[in-house]
């Protein structure tokens, strides 16, 4: 294990161009290519069946049918599939993913959407209601995240402003693009971001899409950002430092105050990714939990991402990106003035957008109210504590930090990916984490229903016992995670994942 991680650390330091060239050379060797194809193929064959459970059971289409099927027939098929798939998330078997799922709330979201499904915020003159919803979503979220009561009247350079996007990834992409474009105006040609290695993969995506070099700084043994190492990584090309509140893997909040102070001192941006925690931490703090400062109250925080479609309990497909000052926000906008199609502008990545989802997000915030968010957060924190206490009582596994609404565990005594597989056999769908090998459960309102946390604890105990007492069997995700952890060349695992995506598009 130690040798492996030393090897990995060394690899992390090797110039990625050398790794890519080595991989290309290796893959060009017919023997290696055939071996990889066989290895990937075998694993993917094993997965295909579970990925396409409806194959051969219901009609599938590779061309538009000559004659359309009746709406009743289709509704019955679609509702049938939804009914088949919903018990798993309704009964709380998923980590994260569905954050409310309450029947009455979902029904309410659906009614709002059905009244607004044709709304497109791109045409704000036709649907001024869409602008109203979005402006108010931004204002309410800014208020929740430390903008303060005078925000609406604050000078443009201090005002917390933002935009509604399609999800956390888009919020992050836009913020990184805004920093890149602002820095470009100041002559930075080779922009860099300095991030703890626990930041969401969306930052990697932003790095690739927008040509921003990403300096990933390993977190410390406490699993939060190593500010000293981040400081050492800053150069004159650095445009932004990133902190998570909290990070996806462990649910831990990075030291935002220190990172933001470092950013301010270096006159660069500080983005706080609160996609996951933005709608939990403010309420948890009010409930007396130990929540460090993480939002716009902290001087030096210049942007944030926060997801309405997670703990904001909105329908899937919305998030908010916030900025300190209008000038920074303007760098995310897109305008074109010489297009034969007319004058064109859009605030976010998409052109046409689903205004119905913004209406639903607005309705979720206004109907839930502060009282609703406080009550929901209380239940989530209590449930997390219950599960954490159970994990602490199991000597074979180890809790990774004191997160408020996440339970992450690793093990020095057994293969946690096998525990993940055993839990999978019992219906659980948890997240497998990397470097170090670990598993997490992101606690949502689904887990606060009577008996769900208790069922998880019992199943976890049984899963741990099963792994302890029996040798590994073939199949499951353990070998795939194992492979990703040990494959010396990262691009080879990337190839495997691309083939997995191909399978998703197979009819
Ligand atoms: C901390 C964090 N940031 C960003 C994201 C990305 O959000 P989305 O999947 O909505 O794009 C997630 C998703 O889980 C997250 O946990």
């Amino acid at each position: 294990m130690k040798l492996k991680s030393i090897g990995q650390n060394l690899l992390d330091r090797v110039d990625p161009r050398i790794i890519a060239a080595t991989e290309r050379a290796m893959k060009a060797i017919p023997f290696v290519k055939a071996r990889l194809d066989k290895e990937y193929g075998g694993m993917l064959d094993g997965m295909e069946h579970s990925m396409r459970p409806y194959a051969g059971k219901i009609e599938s289409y590779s061309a538009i049918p000559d004659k359309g099927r009746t709406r009743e027939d289709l509704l019955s098929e679609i509702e049938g599939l939804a009914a088949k798939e919903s018990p798993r998330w309704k009964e709380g078997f998923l980590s994260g993913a569905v954050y409310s799922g309450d029947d009455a709330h979902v029904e309410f979201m659906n009614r709002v959407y059905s009244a607004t499904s044709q709304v497109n915020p791109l045409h704000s003159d036709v649907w001024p209601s869409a602008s109203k919803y979005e402006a108010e979503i931004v204002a309410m979220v800014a208020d929740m995240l430390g903008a303060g009561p005078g925000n609406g009247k604050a000078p443009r350079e201090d005002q917390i402003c933002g935009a509604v996007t399609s999800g956390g990834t888009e919020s992050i992409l836009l913020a990184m693009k805004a920093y890149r474009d602002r820095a470009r105006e100041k002559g930075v040609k080779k922009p860099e971001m300095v991030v703890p290695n626990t930041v969401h993969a969306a930052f990697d995506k932003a790095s690739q899409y927008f040509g921003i070099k990403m300096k990933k700084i390993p977190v410390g043994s406490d699993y939060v950002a190593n500010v000293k190492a981040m400081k050492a990584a800053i150069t004159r090309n650095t445009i932004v430092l990133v902190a998570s509140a909290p990070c996806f893997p462990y649910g831990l909040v990075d030291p935002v105050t220190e990172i933001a102070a470092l950013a301010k001192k270096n006159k660069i941006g500080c983005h706080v990714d609160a996609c996951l925690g933005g709608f939990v931490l403010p309420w948890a703090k009010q409930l007396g939990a130990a929540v460090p400062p993480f939002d716009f109250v902290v001087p030096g925080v210049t942007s944030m991402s926060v997801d309405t479609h997670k703990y904001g309990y909105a329908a899937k497909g919305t998030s908010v990106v916030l900025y300190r000052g209008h000038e920074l926000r303007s760098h995310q906008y897109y305008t074109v003035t010489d297009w034969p199609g007319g004058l064109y502008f859009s605030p976010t990545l998409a052109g046409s957008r689903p205004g119905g989802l913004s209406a639903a997000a607005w309705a979720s915030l206004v109907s839930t109210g502060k009282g609703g968010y406080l009550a929901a957060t209380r239940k989530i924190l209590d449930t997390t504590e219950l599960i954490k206490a159970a994990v602490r009582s199991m000597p074979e596994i180890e809790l990774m930090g004191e997160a408020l609404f996440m339970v992450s565990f690793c093990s020095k005594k057994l293969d946690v990916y096998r525990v993940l597989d055993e839990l999978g056999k019992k219906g659980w769908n948890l997240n497998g984490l990397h470097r170090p090998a670990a598993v997490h459960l992101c606690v949502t309102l689904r887990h606060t229903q009577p008996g769900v946390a208790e069922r998880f604890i019992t199943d976890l105990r049984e899963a741990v016992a099963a792994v302890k007492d029996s040798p590994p069997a073939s199949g499951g995700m353990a070998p795939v995670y194992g492979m990703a952890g040990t494959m010396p060349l990262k691009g080879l695992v990337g190839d495997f994942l691309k083939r997995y995506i191909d399978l998703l598009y197979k009819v």
Side-chain angles (χ1 to χ4, degrees):
M1 184 69 200
K2 218 168 173 187
L3 266 180
K4 220 187 286 167
S5 58
I6 292 170
Q8 193 59 59
N9 282 345
L10 282 176
L11 259 180
D12 283 341
R13 289 201 189 108
V14 174
D15 187 325
R17 284 168 303 184
I18 297 177
I19 293 185
T22 315
E23 281 180 336
R24 272 197 306 276
M26 276 184 68
K27 279 192 279 180
I29 304 171
F31 164 74
V32 175
K33 193 177 175 311
R35 177 78 202 273
L36 284 172
D37 278 349
K38 198 165 161 235
E39 199 123 315
Y40 291 163
M43 281 183 180
L44 289 165
D45 283 350
M47 287 174 190
E48 188 172 344
H49 183 68
S50 62
M51 283 169 77
R52 302 168 64 241
Y54 307 121
K57 294 195 179 122
I58 52 174
E59 195 72 53
S60 71
Y61 299 92
S62 47
I64 295 172
D66 291 337
K67 187 171 178 303
R69 270 170 70 183
T70 67
R71 289 176 180 152
E72 292 70 34
D73 187 24
L74 286 171
L75 276 172
S76 131
E77 184 171 302
I78 290 168
E79 284 167 359
L81 292 179
K84 212 171 151 56
E85 291 172 0
S86 59
R88 199 161 180 213
W89 63 259
K90 279 194 174 172
E91 290 164 25
F93 280 104
L94 309 190
S95 169
V98 177
Y99 293 81
S100 163
D102 170 72
D103 281 338
H105 185 71
V106 171
E107 181 59 30
F108 173 59
M109 291 289 96
N110 295 347
R111 272 192 68 184
V112 174
Y113 186 80
S114 74
T116 52
S117 68
Q118 300 308 300
V119 175
N120 183 353
L122 189 65
H123 306 292
S124 53
D125 50 340
V126 182
W127 289 288
S129 57
S131 306
K132 172 187 149 57
Y133 297 138
E134 295 198 338
E136 292 178 16
I137 292 169
V138 170
M140 288 188 274
V141 173
D143 178 68
M144 178 179 74
L145 295 174
N151 190 48
K153 296 203 175 75
R156 284 171 69 82
E157 64 271 24
D158 297 332
Q159 198 173 63
I160 307 304
C161 55
V164 175
T165 74
S166 63
T169 299
E170 189 183 352
S171 291
I172 290 165
L173 289 177
L174 286 170
M176 296 305 112
K177 177 195 131 39
Y179 287 114
R180 183 200 66 175
D181 290 0
R182 184 177 69 170
R184 227 179 228 170
E185 283 183 0
K186 292 181 186 153
V188 178
K189 293 199 180 75
K190 293 183 171 175
E192 297 174 0
M193 55 169 112
V194 175
V195 308
N197 65 343
T198 48
V199 291
H200 193 268
F203 289 92
D204 230 301
K205 207 178 212 180
S207 152
Q208 290 187 30
Y209 282 13
F210 302 132
I212 307 170
K213 182 175 175 186
M214 191 179 189
K215 287 190 169 170
K216 285 188 205 177
I217 311 300
V219 292
S221 54
D222 52 359
Y223 303 113
V224 297
N226 178 344
V227 184
K228 218 170 141 195
M230 285 178 76
K231 183 178 176 189
I234 296 173
T235 68
R236 60 196 168 81
N237 288 326
T238 308
I239 58 171
V240 62
L241 307 183
V242 179
S244 303
C247 69
F248 172 83
Y250 317 121
L252 299 170
V253 180
D254 287 323
V256 172
T257 305
E258 292 169 52
I259 293 172
L262 193 55
K264 200 165 192 282
K265 198 167 161 217
N266 285 276
K267 297 190 173 57
I268 52 178
C270 170
H271 181 88
V272 176
D273 178 20
C275 280
L276 204 50
F279 275 91
V280 180
L281 300 181
W283 317 115
K285 189 174 180 184
Q286 281 190 36
L287 291 168
V291 176
F294 72 98
D295 58 16
F296 286 106
V297 163
V298 180
V301 170
T302 49
S303 61
M304 293 187 76
S305 39
V306 51
D307 288 357
T308 31
H309 71 186
K310 292 193 174 83
Y311 291 97
Y313 308 128
K316 273 285 172 271
T318 61
S319 165
V320 175
V321 56
L322 295 172
Y323 299 96
R324 196 189 290 276
H326 288 236
E327 195 266 337
L328 183 55
R329 178 176 63 175
S330 73
H331 289 287
Q332 80 158 46
Y333 291 167
Y334 178 76
T335 61
V336 60
T337 52
D338 61 354
W339 179 43
L343 290 178
Y344 186 93
F345 58 90
S346 74
T348 58
L349 289 180
S352 291
R353 291 187 296 119
L357 292 181
S358 294
W362 179 88
S364 182
L365 301 194
V366 178
S367 68
T368 305
K370 289 180 180 169
Y373 285 115
L374 275 169
T377 303
R378 186 187 295 277
K379 287 199 235 171
I380 289 169
L381 299 190
D382 289 349
T383 304
T384 309
E385 282 313 311
L386 186 76
I387 300 174
K388 273 162 56 182
V391 170
R392 269 189 225 107
S393 75
M394 299 181 208
E396 299 83 358
I397 55 178
E398 211 174 288
L399 200 58
M400 303 168 83
E402 290 298 332
L404 289 175
F405 57 94
M406 186 84 79
V407 183
S408 307
F409 55 89
C410 55
S411 177
K412 291 192 185 79
K413 300 184 176 147
L414 40 78
D415 179 354
V416 271
Y417 297 142
R418 285 188 59 213
V419 176
L420 181 68
D421 278 342
E422 288 298 324
L423 285 166
K425 288 182 202 160
K426 293 170 187 288
W428 293 95
N429 188 307
L430 306 192
N431 298 84
L433 314 172
H434 262 310
R435 305 169 186 213
V439 171
H440 87 199
L441 171 75
C442 177
V443 180
T444 71
L445 281 175
R446 296 289 85 206
H447 307 111
T448 69
Q449 301 174 96
V452 176
E454 289 77 6
R455 185 181 68 214
F456 176 71
I457 292 166
T458 306
D459 287 350
L460 179 59
R461 275 192 209 290
E462 288 178 7
V464 167
V467 174
K468 225 170 97 178
D469 299 340
S470 66
S474 61
M477 286 304 283
V480 181
Y481 275 105
M483 174 179 91
T486 50
M487 273 260 191
L489 301 173
K490 300 171 190 176
L492 300 182
V493 185
D495 286 350
F496 174 81
L497 296 179
K498 283 182 181 166
R499 286 183 56 174
Y500 185 90
I501 300 175
D502 284 346
L503 266 188
L504 297 173
Y505 285 101
K506 194 165 161 187
V507 179

